[in-house]
Amino acid sequence: MNKNALDFTVFPSVLMLENDIVAMTASLLNGNNTTVGNFTSGGTESNMLAVKSARDYHRANKCGGSGRPEVIIPSTGHPSFIKAADFFDMTLTVVPVDKKTFKVKAEDVERRINENTALIVGSAPSYPIGVIDPIESLGEIAIEKGVRLHVDACIGGFILPFFRLLGEKLPEFDFSVRGVTSISADLHKYGYAPKGASVILYRSKELRIHQLFTNASWPGYPMANTTLQSTRSEGPLAASWATLNYLGKKGYIELSKKVLIAREKLIRGLEGLGYEILGKPEASIVAFRRGDVNIFQIADLMKSKGWYLQVQPGSEELNNVASLHMTITAAHEYSIEPFIESLKTCTESVRNKNIQNRDKSINDVSRISFNPEELNSLVAAISHSLSTPDEDSGSQMTLINQLIRTMPSELVEKLFKTIVNEVFTPTRKDEKDN
Ligand SMILES: *Cc1c(COP(=O)(O)O)cnc(C)c1O
């Protein structure tokens, strides 16, 4: 933990551990001897670096127009790409995914490619739904149009290859697809490493060089950074190396098998209760919904029973369905049956409640008009409930989720900034004494 990964000349173990980890990750994702990469703090950093490298490659190689470089993502793409476009001053194009498969259509991406396009993105799989975008078709388009293609395998990188070894039929999504120029894969997800661990891979050094930052003009030490960070702990790097070597291929296959079995049990159980699964789950994520009950209430009730379901409130404005989201890991081996039992009870009780007071539905919320005063009191109420967690705070989430679903996303984003700005207020001495 106390060694500094900033300086590989002082701590040569950084180079050894990092190059080992990148080699293992590259071999898992069908890289070859031209593949290079780096260890980063997480998926967001890996994706942001991929965008930054593509932007600078595009500029340096005069790939196209001299306009503002652009990045094209599917609507299910991770917000880290939106953050990258924001931070690196690029134009962002979001392509809606197919309403049934929840995958982006390659031809829809193709139509939006222009001379300023620096990068197109596909997910393997997408976080909200757990399906893999058509990477092979995107790869063909990338080659034809001369743009870079990044595959976001943050959550799939360390599990899909093992699913394949276990006999799952999966589409090609890695460097075996010729047009793929970079891939991100998170060790702190299915690598089962501690948090702060991800890998960004590139097909070649010609692309990766645009990720690097060097400085020899200040009066201090000459600086060479591989990632966004400078001084950083070597701890997550060493822990990742240890985890990879400890588990080995055999260990990851065993863990992945547990995930597969749990996923199938979960899907059967959910369908048995009348839930609709969104898309056809190809990885370790299952998103589900139903029309006859308020799923936000289900999530709150489940939370009171000790089950945490991630709510995806979606947006009426953007026509996104609301769903509940589960990421399955090997730790869920024995929890699917009791989970389905609890969900059955909760579903029935929310259903009965709904029949009694039908008109207290989601639509009530949309009638709230947002004047600044109301917004301020809303911010105060939400900030308060978030910073003083208690047994009851769960039940308030239904209303909050309904608000998020109903309000325009831009307003939600503004509201969130205000709330976070409030919540992160230094502890005052009088509060601490209490
Ligand atoms: C987790 C994830 C990321 C990055 O998330 P971090 O929280 O920064 O590690 C990016 N894309 C996908 C698909 C993910 O699941």
Side-chain angles (χ1 to χ4, degrees):
M1 292 301 293
N2 68 339
K3 300 293 181 281
N4 192 349
L6 161 67
D7 197 337
F8 55 84
T9 64
V10 178
F11 302 109
S13 58
V14 171
L15 268 187
M16 190 214 103
L17 297 173
E18 183 158 337
N19 285 333
D20 263 12
I21 289 173
V22 170
M24 286 188 257
T25 311
S27 107
L28 200 58
L29 298 170
N30 281 310
N32 58 24
N33 52 13
T34 70
T35 314
V36 291
N38 287 99
F39 182 85
T40 77
S41 65
T44 296
E45 190 179 14
S46 291
N47 286 344
M48 290 181 79
L49 288 169
V51 175
K52 191 261 182 211
S53 303
R55 184 199 67 177
D56 291 355
Y57 179 93
H58 177 85
R59 277 182 182 151
N61 292 277
K62 303 214 169 23
C63 292
S66 50
R68 201 171 179 234
E70 296 187 16
V71 51
I72 302 177
I73 66 166
S75 55
T76 46
H78 191 268
S80 49
F81 297 107
I82 302 174
K83 190 172 175 179
D86 183 10
F87 280 32
F88 304 140
D89 195 25
M90 295 168 74
T91 300
L92 176 80
T93 301
V94 178
V95 182
V97 295
D98 182 88
K99 284 194 167 58
K100 253 179 127 158
T101 62
F102 294 91
K103 299 180 180 209
V104 78
K105 288 196 196 120
E107 62 264 32
D108 290 345
V109 174
E110 186 175 19
R111 261 190 293 121
R112 287 158 169 100
I113 295 177
N114 64 74
E115 57 174 15
N116 294 318
T117 305
L119 183 71
I120 63 175
V121 173
S123 310
S126 68
Y127 181 83
I129 316 291
V131 296
I132 304 170
D133 286 319
I135 305 301
E136 281 180 288
S137 317
L138 290 173
E140 278 168 27
I141 289 166
I143 289 173
E144 205 182 292
K145 299 271 182 180
V147 298
R148 270 61 47 216
L149 166 60
H150 177 74
V151 174
D152 181 0
C154 276
I155 202 153
F158 284 92
I159 195 157
L160 292 177
F162 301 110
F163 274 9
R164 195 175 269 149
L165 290 175
L166 286 162
E168 285 289 289
K169 291 233 168 349
L170 293 171
E172 300 294 333
F173 66 91
D174 57 22
F175 284 121
S176 60
V177 178
R178 221 159 46 87
V180 172
T181 47
S182 56
I183 306 179
S184 47
D186 288 354
L187 282 155
H188 64 202
K189 289 176 184 160
Y190 289 98
Y192 292 98
K195 296 291 174 276
S198 173
V199 173
I200 174 69
L201 297 174
Y202 295 93
R203 185 171 285 277
S204 71
K205 284 182 177 165
E206 284 69 48
L207 200 52
R208 197 268 303 270
I209 198 158
H210 297 285
Q211 174 185 294
L212 310 177
F213 174 81
T214 51
N215 180 275
S217 70
W218 76 320
Y221 59 90
M223 186 179 284
N225 288 162
T226 51
T227 66
L228 294 176
Q229 296 181 304
S230 204
T231 286
R232 52 178 174 148
S233 170
E234 200 181 339
L237 182 70
S240 297
W241 189 91
T243 309
L244 281 165
N245 282 286
Y246 172 76
L247 287 171
K249 203 176 188 175
K250 201 165 150 268
Y252 283 106
I253 289 177
E254 272 167 28
L255 291 167
S256 303
K257 193 170 179 183
K258 290 180 182 180
V259 175
L260 259 187
I261 294 170
R263 183 189 78 185
E264 290 315 299
K265 253 195 251 174
L266 177 67
I267 292 175
R268 275 200 307 276
L270 289 171
E271 286 176 341
L273 294 182
Y275 281 90
E276 175 200 340
I277 312 290
L278 301 192
K280 199 184 166 309
E282 289 174 296
S284 49
I285 288 165
V286 178
F288 56 101
R289 66 176 289 275
R290 63 192 293 158
D292 60 343
V293 295
N294 183 336
I295 55 170
F296 304 150
Q297 288 177 343
I298 303 257
D300 278 350
L301 200 54
M302 284 293 277
K303 196 173 171 192
S304 72
K305 296 192 187 303
W307 297 103
Y308 179 74
L309 279 163
Q310 191 166 62
V311 175
Q312 303 189 130
S315 162
E316 265 168 20
E317 174 205 23
L318 302 173
N319 224 352
N320 287 335
V321 295
S323 62
L324 299 173
H325 178 282
M326 293 179 72
T327 298
I328 307 148
T329 74
H332 296 127
E333 191 178 13
Y334 301 112
S335 28
I336 303 297
E337 279 98 349
F339 169 81
I340 293 291
E341 271 309 303
S342 291
L343 187 62
K344 189 172 178 223
T345 318
C346 290
T347 308
E348 278 160 11
S349 88
V350 170
R351 228 171 150 188
N352 295 337
K353 238 197 301 186
N354 267 11
I355 291 162
Q356 281 162 23
N357 46 25
R358 262 242 160 94
D359 33 20
K360 262 204 170 356
S361 67
I362 278 180
N363 297 331
D364 280 2
V365 177
S366 61
R367 284 197 287 273
I368 298 175
S369 64
F370 295 105
N371 64 50
E373 222 165 84
E374 271 178 290
L375 217 54
N376 283 343
S377 63
L378 191 64
V379 167
I382 297 175
S383 307
H384 180 77
S385 85
L386 290 179
S387 48
T388 50
D390 58 37
E391 299 287 297
D392 277 351
S393 65
S395 59
Q396 295 170 20
M397 288 311 291
T398 290
L399 179 66
I400 295 175
N401 283 320
Q402 283 173 347
L403 278 170
I404 294 170
R405 174 156 185 78
T406 318
M407 285 171 16
S409 56
E410 238 177 87
L411 189 56
V412 176
E413 286 159 6
K414 249 191 196 156
L415 190 63
F416 278 11
K417 273 191 192 170
T418 318
I419 291 168
V420 174
N421 213 11
E422 279 309 310
V423 172
F424 286 87
T425 298
T427 318
R428 279 183 285 123
K429 197 175 175 302
D430 52 329
E431 279 173 13
K432 218 163 147 186
D433 290 345
N434 288 337

